[in-house]
């Protein structure tokens, strides 16, 4: 169904929508990443300031083009990541975020997944020009793949729209 | 499923939201407001004249029958049809389903093609698509950038295999007022055996609609769309058109919909239609003026905004649908809700499939434009002061949502 399903949020989602925590663009972050796409209407940017000696995340910030759940999930993700080592932060799951929010409506779980996908992508970016630690999986984790899938959606949908338009034009030509 | 999926504590959510000092309800697309007179007439019907079962032989039954009959006469006058051509349902959705499925059950061999426009309501799209599982084919005729049906494409698609063409004279989402007369002429010209269904839920009492003269075979109506009660609807079925009921059960006074008629709801529906007709000039004039106030106000004060659908007389008098770029629609509906302005959005963020409104995509809106859309509908109940309040709230709400965003103007 399109756009008409009940989305009663937990009050914490509404509170974080009103007063997001760690919102904004960070100047000169040590790591950053963007996840999501305009096609699915959800996009998160994550910025991390990292203590190079200890690998502890000193600051985590986000920006969001998305719904209330996306904004709330990103807030919670940054709160959870702050103060953790990169290895600990890597282990934050979308389930942790959903639980912290008092569980998201099922259709909104992807917002939590996207926040985690963005965080993990930022951590990977941090190690791009460094020796990757042993705990960092070589292959993409499911949360990361989900983010990639959402990004590909734009491509898929655009291709489909173009194909339909081409078919219609072709049919119109055949008729004439 | 819906209840377990929902927030565990809806009361806590509402308490957290709070009741804004000012409230303006602009979501009549999804759930309508009601004329106090219609509610009053329903109250009388519940407590007195409409208590009985209109097909039962006792005084209360005959009273209910009289009430039903009187209401139907008034509705038939408003619809320009005969009382016997009205089949009651309990919503516009049910009327659309009855039209499509009821006709499909009578389809002769070789007539199994259903033609709809690309911007029909989902209560037309879904039953049509479901029929694909029963040997029917469905064709969606494209529309132009304002939502007008491509008449050449329509002419190409209608042929001797076509069972039904279904088009809404007024689109529910972007307010496009179709040239229904031209559309019906094209269909009749291609093949007189094709049946024509109009989803008139958004046209009734808002634009001229003369069913008798239109040549349409069926037309759907919804009570709440004309500020009558929810739970009321009707399907006009032209004399001589055969349909089969889609629900089975004891038929009452109705040929096509089993169960006890909701007489009080029908009374409210009929009262609303009578009021809309009696005050058409005043109400529609006010609605269009307030609609333009919303559209011009928003387009004039907020950068990077687009009107979805046509403007002026080719647009439904109540419809204001605007895309706000760099602004996610669901977030905007919540931000506005906190200010007491209640609207809906075509954003995918409130859908299960991560796709925004099919209507907005059909008029070639890009995904980001569709995600940032808000839909508002004016009614006879709205005042200039309320619309001025909405206009004052929107720039601030848009700025806040854009300020959260990693790109575009907010970045």
């Amino acid at each position: 169904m399109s756009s008409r399903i009940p989305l009663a949020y937990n009050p914490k989602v509404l509170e974080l929508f009103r007063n997001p925590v760690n919102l904004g663009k960070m100047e000169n972050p040590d790591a950053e990443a963007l996840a999501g796409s305009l096609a699915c209407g959800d996009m998160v940017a994550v910025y991390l300031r990292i203590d190079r000696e200890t690998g502890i995340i000193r600051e985590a910030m986000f920006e969001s083009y998305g719904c209330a759940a996306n904004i709330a999930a990103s807030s919670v993700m940054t709160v959870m990541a702050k103060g953790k080592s990169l290895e600990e932060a890597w282990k934050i799951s979308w389930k942790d975020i959903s639980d912290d929010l008092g569980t998201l409506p099922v259709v909104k779980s992807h917002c939590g997944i996207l926040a985690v996908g963005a965080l993990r992508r930022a951590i990977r970016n941090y190690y791009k020009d460094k020796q990757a630690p042993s705990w960092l999986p070589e292959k993409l984790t499911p949360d990361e793949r989900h983010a990639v899938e959402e990004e590909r959606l734009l491509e898929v949908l655009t291709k489909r729209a173009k194909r339909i338009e081409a078919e219609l034009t072709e049919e119109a030509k055949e008729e004439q | 499923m819906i209840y377990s999926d929902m927030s565990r504590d809806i009361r806590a959510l509402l308490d957290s939201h709070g009741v804004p000092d000012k409230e303006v309800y602009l979501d009549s697309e999804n759930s309508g407001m009601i004329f106090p007179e219609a509610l009053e007439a329903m109250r009388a019907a519940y407590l007195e004249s409409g208590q009985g079962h209109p097909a039962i032989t006792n005084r209360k039954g005959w009273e209910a029958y009289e009430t039903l009959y009187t209401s139907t006469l008034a509705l038939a006058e408003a619809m320009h049809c005969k009382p016997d051509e009205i089949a009651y349902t309990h919503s516009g959705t049910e009327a659309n389903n009855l039209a499509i499925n009821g006709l499909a059950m009578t389809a002769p061999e070789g007539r199994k093609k259903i033609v709809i426009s690309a911007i029909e309501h989902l209560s037309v799209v879904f039953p049509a698509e479901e029929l694909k599982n029963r040997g029917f084919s469905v064709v969606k005729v494209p529309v132009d950038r304002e939502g007008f049906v491509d008449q050449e494409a329509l002419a190409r698609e209608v042929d001797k295999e076509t069972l039904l063409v279904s088009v809404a004279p007024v689109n529910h989402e972007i307010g496009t007022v179709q040239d229904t007369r031209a559309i019906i002429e094209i269909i009749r010209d291609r093949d007189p055996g094709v049946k024509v269904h109009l989803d008139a839920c958004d046209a009734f009492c808002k634009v001229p609609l003369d069913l008798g003269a239109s040549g349409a075979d069926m037309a759907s109506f919804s009570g709440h769309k004309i500020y009558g009660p929810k739970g009321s609807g009707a399907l006009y079925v032209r004399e001589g058109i055969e349909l089969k009921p889609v629900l089975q059960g004891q038929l009452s006074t109705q040929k096509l919909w089993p169960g006890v008629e909701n007489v009080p709801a029908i009374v409210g529906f009929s009262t609303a239609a009578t009021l809309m007709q009696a005050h058409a000039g005043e109400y529609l004039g006010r609605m269009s003026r307030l609609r333009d106030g919303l559209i011009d106000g928003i387009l004039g004060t907020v950068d990077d905004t687009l009107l979805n659908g046509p403007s002026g007389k080719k647009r439904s008098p109540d419809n204001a649908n605007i895309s706000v770029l760099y602004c996610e629609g669901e977030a905007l509906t919540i931000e506005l809700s906190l200010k007491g302005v209640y609207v809906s959005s075509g954003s995918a963020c409130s859908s299960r499939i991560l796709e925004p409104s099919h209507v907005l995509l059909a008029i070639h809106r890009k995904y980001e434009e569709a995600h940032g859309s808000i839909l508002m509908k004016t009614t006879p109940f709205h005042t200039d002061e309320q619309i001025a309040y909405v206009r004052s709230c929107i720039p601030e709400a848009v700025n806040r949502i854009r300020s959260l965003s990693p790109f575009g103007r907010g970045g």
Side-chain angles (χ1 to χ4, degrees):
Chain A
M1 303 283 275
S2 128
S3 91
R4 304 287 183 271
I5 46 170
L7 286 172
Y9 285 126
N10 188 289
K12 186 162 181 187
V13 174
L14 194 62
E15 178 48 33
L16 285 169
F17 171 77
R18 268 180 166 143
N19 299 302
V21 182
N22 300 322
L23 172 79
K25 191 176 171 70
M26 189 187 285
E27 294 304 320
N28 304 316
D30 296 306
E32 63 184 300
L34 195 63
S37 83
L38 286 175
C40 35
D42 263 332
M43 215 167 185
V44 191
V46 181
Y47 309 94
L48 302 176
R49 185 147 352 266
I50 297 158
D51 187 317
R52 286 180 185 255
E53 294 291 310
T54 60
I56 302 277
I57 298 173
R58 292 287 169 219
E59 264 186 277
M61 293 177 79
F62 79 97
E63 292 176 299
S64 160
Y65 166 85
C67 59
N70 183 296
I71 292 161
S74 305
S75 274
V76 168
M77 178 270 291
T78 53
V79 169
M80 285 183 173
K82 201 170 164 180
K84 281 196 171 64
S85 68
L86 287 166
E87 184 178 1
E88 286 166 338
W90 181 268
K91 290 178 190 153
I92 296 170
S93 74
W94 70 267
K95 188 80 174 44
D96 297 334
I97 291 176
S98 179
D99 287 349
D100 190 81
L101 287 171
T103 64
L104 284 168
V106 170
V107 293
K108 291 289 181 185
S109 57
H110 78 101
C111 295
I113 298 175
L114 200 63
V116 168
L119 172 65
R120 292 194 179 171
R121 188 172 288 174
I123 294 174
R124 277 194 196 279
N125 286 345
Y126 180 69
Y127 286 111
K128 245 183 191 159
D129 50 0
K130 301 178 186 63
Q131 172 73 37
S134 57
W135 51 263
L136 190 68
E138 279 178 30
K139 286 186 178 168
L140 292 185
T141 60
D143 291 354
E144 293 174 281
R145 277 204 304 276
H146 182 96
V148 173
E149 275 165 23
E150 288 206 6
E151 286 153 11
R152 283 196 188 135
L153 203 63
L154 177 63
E155 223 174 295
V156 173
L157 296 175
T158 309
K159 268 187 195 160
R160 194 167 77 193
K162 279 188 181 154
R163 197 186 65 226
I164 293 168
E165 207 161 327
E167 279 172 9
L168 286 172
T169 319
E170 200 52 41
E171 278 177 27
K173 272 185 204 157
E174 282 169 18
E175 292 275 336
Q176 284 161 5
Chain B
M1 182 197 77
I2 282 168
Y3 295 107
S4 62
D5 186 26
M6 278 171 54
S7 150
R8 314 319 108 167
D9 196 343
I10 188 75
R11 179 35 54 192
L13 176 71
L14 285 165
D15 288 345
S16 162
H17 184 291
V19 181
D21 293 338
K22 282 187 189 172
E23 293 189 289
V24 187
Y25 184 83
L26 288 166
D27 192 21
S28 291
E29 161 55 17
N30 293 303
S31 184
M33 297 164 109
I34 189 165
F35 281 113
E37 294 93 331
L39 196 58
E40 200 44 52
M42 288 173 70
R43 186 184 146 80
Y46 268 116
L47 296 174
E48 296 153 28
S49 60
Q51 274 177 347
H53 187 306
I56 299 292
T57 50
N58 59 40
R59 201 181 72 79
K60 283 291 173 188
W62 291 318
E63 223 173 59
Y65 184 78
E66 182 189 40
T67 306
L68 176 63
Y69 176 69
T70 312
S71 294
T72 306
L73 280 184
L75 265 179
E77 195 182 322
M79 293 175 183
H80 299 273
C81 69
K82 298 172 190 163
D84 283 344
E85 292 175 320
I86 295 175
Y88 289 111
T89 62
H90 302 106
S91 65
T93 289
E94 290 182 2
N96 283 338
N97 273 266
L98 173 59
I100 293 168
N101 286 318
L103 187 71
M105 283 194 252
T106 70
E109 271 312 305
R111 265 200 199 271
K112 297 222 160 175
K113 181 175 175 185
I114 294 168
V115 178
I116 65 176
S117 90
I119 57 171
E120 292 309 305
H121 194 268
L122 291 178
S123 59
V124 166
V125 177
F126 287 169
E129 286 185 343
E130 185 64 26
L131 283 170
K132 286 184 190 170
N133 298 324
R134 289 174 26 206
F136 288 79
S137 65
V138 177
V139 173
K140 291 178 188 166
V141 176
V143 296
D144 70 11
R145 284 172 191 276
E146 291 188 328
F148 293 104
V149 169
D150 179 338
Q151 297 187 2
E152 284 175 22
L154 175 70
R156 278 199 301 276
E157 289 300 346
V158 178
D159 52 33
K160 61 180 180 359
E161 289 176 6
T162 307
L163 173 70
L164 172 72
V165 179
S166 179
V167 175
V170 170
N171 183 264
H172 59 290
E173 209 172 306
I174 53 171
T176 311
V177 180
Q178 302 289 348
D179 187 347
T180 310
R181 179 183 301 220
I183 287 171
I184 295 179
E185 269 174 24
I186 288 168
I187 299 165
R188 295 286 177 243
D189 187 50
R190 293 288 296 164
D191 188 308
V194 177
K195 303 290 185 289
V196 180
H197 168 246
L198 304 177
D199 172 2
C201 292
D202 283 87
F204 187 40
C205 301
K206 313 251 172 78
V207 300
L209 184 76
D210 185 335
L211 285 179
S214 71
D217 299 300
M218 296 181 281
S220 298
F221 298 89
S222 163
H224 84 84
K225 289 262 170 118
I226 58 161
Y227 326 112
K230 288 172 261 286
S232 61
L235 183 69
Y236 158 79
V237 185
R238 191 161 59 78
E239 204 170 23
I241 300 295
E242 287 300 320
L243 295 187
K244 287 204 169 155
V246 295
L247 297 183
Q248 304 307 322
Q250 173 109 51
L251 291 168
S252 176
T253 65
Q254 302 293 300
K255 284 183 295 187
L256 287 166
W257 208 256
V260 189
E261 292 84 350
N262 187 346
V263 175
I266 291 168
V267 167
F269 183 10
S270 178
T271 306
T274 305
L275 284 168
M276 283 300 284
Q277 302 272 324
H279 304 279
E282 180 198 339
Y283 290 168
L284 299 179
R286 165 190 296 224
M287 287 155 71
S288 322
R289 181 166 50 80
L290 298 180
R291 170 201 72 184
D292 290 340
L294 276 176
I295 293 173
D296 298 343
I298 297 167
L299 296 183
T301 55
V302 185
D303 290 343
D304 298 312
T305 42
L306 301 163
L307 176 66
N308 294 314
S311 46
K313 290 209 181 310
K314 289 185 168 182
R315 184 178 193 96
S316 179
D318 61 345
N319 182 303
N321 186 327
I322 290 170
S323 282
V324 184
L325 289 171
Y326 318 114
C327 195
E328 199 283 313
E330 194 220 73
L332 186 55
T333 64
I334 297 176
E335 182 69 11
L336 286 170
S337 176
L338 292 168
K339 295 172 186 291
V341 174
Y342 307 126
V343 307
S344 68
S345 169
S347 158
C349 240
S350 36
S351 98
R352 287 174 198 277
I353 50 170
L354 293 179
E355 275 200 63
S357 150
H358 70 286
V359 175
L360 296 178
L361 295 184
I363 61 167
H364 302 271
R365 284 288 180 239
K366 292 179 196 150
Y367 285 91
E368 56 269 38
E369 292 167 347
H371 285 308
S373 72
I374 50 170
L375 172 56
M376 296 159 282
K377 288 196 172 178
T378 58
T379 69
F381 313 109
H382 287 115
T383 63
D384 289 287
E385 192 208 347
Q386 286 178 315
I387 298 306
Y389 175 67
V390 175
R391 285 173 57 156
S392 74
C393 286
I394 286 183
E396 205 181 311
V398 168
N399 283 341
R400 161 136 203 281
I401 300 302
R402 282 179 176 168
S403 76
L404 308 176
S405 160
F407 64 86
R409 298 183 47 81

